[in-house]
Amino acid sequence: MSSNISDDLKSGALFYHRHPRPGKLEIQPTKPLGNQRDLALAYSPGVAAACEAIAADPEEAANLTARQNLVAVISNGTAVLGLGDIGPLASKPVMEGKAVLFKKFAGIDVFDIELNEKNVDKLVDVVAALEPTFGGINLEDIKAPECFEVEERCRARMNIPVFHDDQHGTAIIVAAAVLNGLEFAGKTISDVKIVTSGAGAAALACLNQLVSLGARRENIFVTDIEGVVYRGREKLMDRWKSVYAQETQARTLAEVIPGADVFLGLSAGGVLKPEMLERMAEKPLIMALANPYPEIMPNLAEEKRPDAMICTGRSDFPNQVNNVLCFPYIFRGALDVGATTINEEMKAAAVKAIAGLARETPSDVVARAYGGEARPFGPHSLIPSPFDPRLILRIAPAVAQAAMDSGVAKRPLPDVQAYAESLDRFVHRSGFIMKPVFTAAKQDPRRVVYAEGEDERVLRAVQAIVEEGLAKPILIGRPNVIETRLKRFGLAIQPGRDFELINPDDDPRYRTYVQTYIDLAGRRGITPDGARTLVRTNNAVIGALAVRRGEADALICGLEGRFESKLRVIRDIIGLAPGARDFAALSLIVTSKGAYFLADTHVRPDPSAEEIADVAIACGDTARRFGLSPKIALVSHADFGSFDTASSRKMRQALALLRERAPDLEVDGEMAADTALSQAIRDKVLPGSRLKGEANVLIMPNLDAANIAFQFSKTLADALPVGPLLLGPARPAHILTPSVTARGIVNITAAAVVEAQGQEVLTPEGDSAAEAGTPLVSA
């Protein structure tokens, strides 16, 4: 894997892991520790009560400690994906990454534990001794065949789930893809011929899973580095592989591939040759899962066999087999019912849930999240996207139900339907809320101009943007300065190849830019001399003119200087969208508790009720662009008339206007912030509120409240800020703040591209700037 990483990606990854603090994890207390009584409850003497309760009834540990939501990710670093036996210490970044996925996707806490031990007996003893600490064990990157032995013996000794994800996670997703691929091809699993390349932990687990679903061993042919696994072979054999040894004279992959309905590759790039495909059965399913280079590239496979269905392990092709599709949600369901193991019934339930989700008609939210269109079930959509928000809603309840039905649940759920509904709290707390926006941006990248093109953050962001294919960057800056800084930062992007460059000191468009500026702002105090100076010295002006003239689709500025001065430039040059009264600023905060939009954080000091209604509607449209169903709270210091002040009356008037103008919008107010974020509090104050669950769009009564809330929450909550997003310009234009990071620039770029995709293309004269749809801030 390391040899396949470009120098700039390697540099970026090391920077990511080092800053702002080393690693990817930290531990946070979940209870207040603000006074002496809190300390007495948390530790001595009060903690004795919890200890005694657990001593009397061990099941109380699930109610009194974090154990039941705590998983150990354990490795000895002997088979780290793509890197091999690099040892336990070097494997730690991978295990921390696995821990992050558990937390982000399913809210599960993780300790990563790297063990300097290869002896199976000692490894099993160590893992088994950890049982009092954890609710589950995820074994990771332990080489075969030792991984089979370790898991088998740990499962026999321990009374909590022990799950080797390299085996079973891959197997579950592969099985779901096979079931759906065979259904589409009109084939039956008991009849199909399956050929594998690779006989490691994942490949054998996949075959075991398929056999449990009805595949017959006599129809399965396994190959590895020594060729076909046949009866009587002695080299590189073990008791797990021997199960699939065939009575055959065939010795190579080429000799067993004829007539195969399913090819399962978990081996090395390029081993499945194009000519081999010609001898496979009709409508073959090709699962080329080697990374980063599949056993055969999809374009080669499609060229030889247009009727083939193809899955890979890569995110840049359809049908990605990614373990994150299942392991967080399997553990979520298992932990929530106190399962003592993850058995075959639970794995089969996960397979069916994943396969079933792929067949579902995508919801409106999912369709919006993935670029406004979603592939229906078929050759290019055999399994769901790893970022489908419905995965946890389907898999965790299915696994929990299977655990209860099979008798391994120590804490059965009283109401599975209520449990399923409760999981909605995780759907948009993943921290991956930007993923749908990125997906949509990649489908149709647009030209984005960056006013501060010499800034290190912009250059690092553009490197990521080019690698991801999010946009077509245009940098404003001096060529020699940019060239020097690219070398200094070790970045591989180059002008002319990866981005366009506008040189403010010497650009052939200078005169036409000056004339455009005079035409636009000459009656607003901009003299010809002033226009000439600004087009040479003010990069925001240059960027805005490029957008106005149709030479760029979106503007990003604001890393230097004052927000108000940039806003004036956008107002003078790009102007307001048709029907918009004024600009507004919407800021997104992504926290461990969820994603929240706040408005107006940067533009309107004291908006009227009419303006608040405008902003609420615009914010709802933006939330949908991020794949969220807007739940809007008009926030105040008052709760539904508890105070009669100017600001509370204003919010009540705004609600009345919204009821008339947007009757389908889920909105209520005025309400306090804690009321907006808690259904329980709201039920006590106003049980009949139209707003259900937690609000995800908070409209503040004035600029002070919105900006303070934004700054406060992003700092104290250690949240990911996105924005501010400027609402109302005729073309996408966003003014960032000097504290923005390279990551923040990437995020706002993706949002700007998606916004541009929904607008008409400007003519060179900039005469048509109308939205194709609803204006962001309408009158």
Side-chain angles (χ1 to χ4, degrees):
M1 180 184 293
S2 180
S3 61
N4 295 315
I5 298 178
S6 63
D7 290 340
D8 48 281
L9 182 59
K10 185 182 294 184
S11 172
L14 292 174
F15 184 88
Y16 173 88
H17 281 80
R18 286 185 177 125
H19 302 285
R21 54 184 294 179
K24 301 188 282 279
L25 298 170
E26 67 177 359
I27 297 173
Q28 293 277 2
T30 59
K31 298 297 193 301
L33 295 169
N35 53 46
Q36 186 60 41
R37 178 166 176 77
D38 289 343
L39 293 175
L41 294 171
Y43 198 53
S44 181
V47 72
C51 295
E52 290 169 348
I54 295 171
D57 179 6
E59 291 304 309
E60 278 296 299
N63 301 318
L64 297 171
T65 74
R67 178 176 184 262
Q68 204 52 47
N69 195 53
L70 186 62
V71 166
V73 171
I74 299 177
S75 180
N76 64 358
T78 53
V80 180
L81 181 64
L83 298 173
D85 185 355
I86 60 174
L89 185 60
S91 76
K92 188 172 179 64
V94 178
M95 303 311 128
E96 284 190 358
K98 192 66 174 284
V100 168
L101 297 179
F102 267 108
K103 186 66 175 180
K104 292 294 186 182
F105 281 104
I108 295 172
D109 297 315
V110 167
F111 289 153
D112 62 289
I113 299 176
E114 293 74 34
L115 299 175
N116 189 19
E117 184 56 72
K118 293 184 178 180
N119 180 276
V120 170
D121 292 335
K122 292 181 179 179
L123 198 57
V124 169
D125 286 342
V126 172
V127 175
L130 295 171
E131 183 169 349
T133 302
F134 297 100
I137 303 290
N138 183 100
L139 300 175
E140 191 79 13
D141 291 349
I142 301 171
K143 75 180 183 70
E146 287 89 338
C147 61
F148 302 117
E149 188 78 26
V150 171
E151 186 192 47
E152 186 177 281
R153 290 167 59 179
C154 286
R155 290 183 65 183
R157 289 176 57 175
M158 303 175 75
N159 204 37
I160 59 174
V162 179
F163 188 82
H164 186 215
D165 183 50
D166 297 328
Q167 296 180 57
H168 307 299
T170 303
I172 286 166
I173 303 158
V174 163
V178 169
L179 288 182
N180 280 346
L182 295 182
E183 178 178 312
F184 185 79
K187 301 177 182 180
T188 304
I189 192 168
S190 61
D191 298 331
V192 296
K193 178 180 178 180
I194 301 170
V195 173
T196 75
S197 173
L204 294 178
C206 290
L207 295 178
N208 293 340
Q209 188 71 55
L210 293 173
V211 168
S212 73
L213 294 171
R216 294 190 294 174
R217 282 190 173 89
E218 57 264 34
N219 293 339
I220 297 173
F221 292 81
V222 176
T223 67
D224 62 10
I225 195 170
E226 288 295 320
V228 174
V229 175
Y230 60 89
R231 288 183 184 174
R233 195 181 108 174
E234 296 182 358
K235 193 172 183 180
L236 290 182
M237 294 295 289
D238 54 58
R239 62 186 175 94
W240 296 278
K241 193 185 298 185
S242 296
V243 171
Y244 294 100
Q246 290 278 26
E247 192 70 59
T248 178
Q249 296 301 312
R251 294 295 182 264
T252 67
L253 176 61
E255 291 174 353
V256 294
I257 200 73
D261 299 280
V262 177
F263 169 81
L264 174 59
L266 285 152
S267 55
V271 301
L272 183 64
K273 306 304 180 184
E275 59 269 21
M276 295 181 186
L277 271 62
E278 295 176 343
R279 291 175 282 167
M280 293 184 71
E282 182 183 0
K283 293 184 179 178
L285 174 59
I286 300 167
M287 308 198 73
L289 306 183
N291 257 327
Y293 301 114
E295 283 78 4
I296 187 168
M297 292 299 291
N299 59 318
L300 291 177
E302 289 174 349
E303 182 179 332
K304 281 291 182 182
R305 290 298 299 266
D307 61 333
M309 295 166 282
I310 306 164
C311 301
T312 71
R314 292 172 44 152
S315 61
D316 52 345
F317 295 110
N319 292 323
Q320 183 194 12
V321 174
N322 187 328
N323 287 12
V324 81
L325 270 166
C326 69
F327 73 80
Y329 317 122
I330 290 172
F331 269 95
R332 181 74 276 156
L335 295 175
D336 289 341
V337 295
T340 58
T341 187
I342 294 174
N343 58 24
E344 293 305 313
E345 292 87 348
M346 295 160 72
K347 289 190 286 182
V351 170
K352 293 173 183 176
I354 294 169
L357 179 56
R359 299 188 200 111
E360 289 186 30
T361 301
S363 68
D364 291 342
V365 171
V366 174
R368 287 195 302 269
Y370 291 92
E373 60 179 82
R375 294 189 182 98
F377 172 60
H380 296 291
S381 187
L382 298 176
I383 46 180
S385 161
F387 294 93
D388 192 317
R390 299 169 296 174
L391 283 164
I392 192 171
L393 306 179
R394 302 293 186 271
I395 299 173
V399 170
Q401 184 68 63
M404 293 188 291
D405 293 344
S406 59
V408 298
K410 292 186 292 185
R411 296 190 311 279
L413 299 168
D415 186 339
V416 176
Q417 181 60 37
Y419 168 68
E421 293 173 358
S422 75
L423 293 171
D424 191 62
R425 69 192 188 277
F426 293 114
V427 169
H428 294 296
R429 293 184 182 180
S430 68
F432 289 98
I433 190 171
M434 290 302 300
K435 180 63 180 180
V437 181
F438 276 48
T439 301
K442 291 179 184 179
Q443 293 177 355
D444 184 15
R446 297 301 179 94
R447 302 163 300 170
V448 179
V449 60
Y450 301 85
E452 293 85 8
E454 298 174 0
D455 191 284
E456 177 184 356
R457 293 165 294 177
V458 170
L459 295 174
R460 290 191 179 277
V462 168
Q463 179 72 57
I465 289 161
V466 169
E467 289 175 356
E468 292 285 328
L470 295 173
K472 300 173 182 177
I474 304 170
L475 272 59
I476 302 175
R478 294 162 293 178
N480 61 324
V481 174
I482 289 177
E483 182 180 358
T484 300
R485 293 183 178 180
L486 288 175
K487 291 180 180 177
R488 182 192 306 166
F489 305 139
L491 301 176
I493 51 173
Q494 293 296 325
R497 184 190 70 187
D498 301 304
F499 61 87
E500 183 183 336
L501 188 61
I502 296 177
N503 180 3
D505 290 342
D506 184 20
D507 191 281
R509 293 165 289 189
Y510 171 72
R511 293 182 182 277
T512 56
Y513 273 37
V514 170
Q515 188 57 52
T516 300
Y517 195 20
I518 293 170
D519 293 343
L520 291 170
R523 294 183 180 275
R524 290 194 289 272
I526 299 298
T527 65
D529 286 343
R532 284 189 283 270
T533 299
L534 287 170
V535 174
R536 284 283 190 213
T537 61
N538 191 320
N539 287 5
V541 169
I542 298 171
L545 287 167
V547 171
R548 176 72 190 205
R549 290 171 51 82
E551 296 168 3
D553 300 303
L555 166 67
I556 307 292
C557 62
L559 281 77
E560 301 170 1
R562 297 174 62 85
F563 188 97
E564 294 80 3
S565 64
K566 304 295 190 298
L567 187 64
R568 190 178 308 115
V569 168
I570 293 170
R571 188 186 302 276
D572 287 348
I573 297 174
I574 296 177
L576 288 164
R581 301 175 196 268
D582 198 357
F583 299 112
L586 174 65
S587 297
L588 171 62
I589 287 287
V590 183
T591 74
S592 60
K593 294 184 178 296
Y596 307 96
F597 289 97
L598 284 71
D600 175 355
T601 55
H602 287 78
V603 177
R604 307 188 193 196
D606 188 16
S608 66
E610 290 79 7
E611 290 176 310
I612 287 172
D614 287 346
V615 171
I617 293 171
C619 289
D621 292 341
T622 302
R624 293 186 190 96
R625 195 180 299 137
F626 281 77
L628 293 174
S629 293
K631 295 176 177 288
I632 302 175
L634 305 180
V635 181
S636 173
H637 67 99
D639 259 337
F640 304 108
S642 61
F643 287 88
D644 191 32
T645 62
S647 66
S648 60
R649 288 194 297 270
K650 178 171 67 175
M651 302 309 268
R652 283 175 232 157
Q653 293 168 8
L655 178 66
L657 291 170
L658 286 167
R659 291 279 190 261
E660 294 176 4
R661 294 175 50 192
D664 295 331
L665 200 60
E666 187 175 345
V667 57
D668 210 340
E670 84 281 14
M671 67 180 76
D674 58 347
T675 306
L677 299 177
S678 171
Q679 179 75 54
I681 295 176
R682 201 157 54 250
D683 286 343
K684 292 180 180 179
V685 178
L686 189 71
S689 173
R690 183 172 181 177
L691 180 63
K692 302 300 179 186
E694 292 186 358
N696 53 26
V697 179
L698 307 177
I699 309 296
M700 305 291 179
N702 56 49
L703 179 62
D704 286 344
N707 190 267
I708 291 169
F710 174 58
Q711 304 294 347
F712 192 77
S713 58
K714 79 174 183 180
T715 302
L716 290 191
D718 194 23
L720 167 66
V722 179
L725 300 162
L726 190 64
L727 307 180
R731 295 293 288 165
H734 298 291
I735 308 169
L736 302 179
T737 58
S739 63
V740 71
T741 63
R743 181 187 183 192
I745 297 169
V746 173
N747 286 337
I748 204 72
T749 297
V753 169
V754 174
E755 188 179 350
Q757 290 169 352
Q759 295 186 335
E760 292 179 1
V761 178
L762 279 169
T763 65
E765 294 77 24
D767 293 333
S768 176
E771 284 270 15
T774 305
L776 284 171
V777 182
S778 63

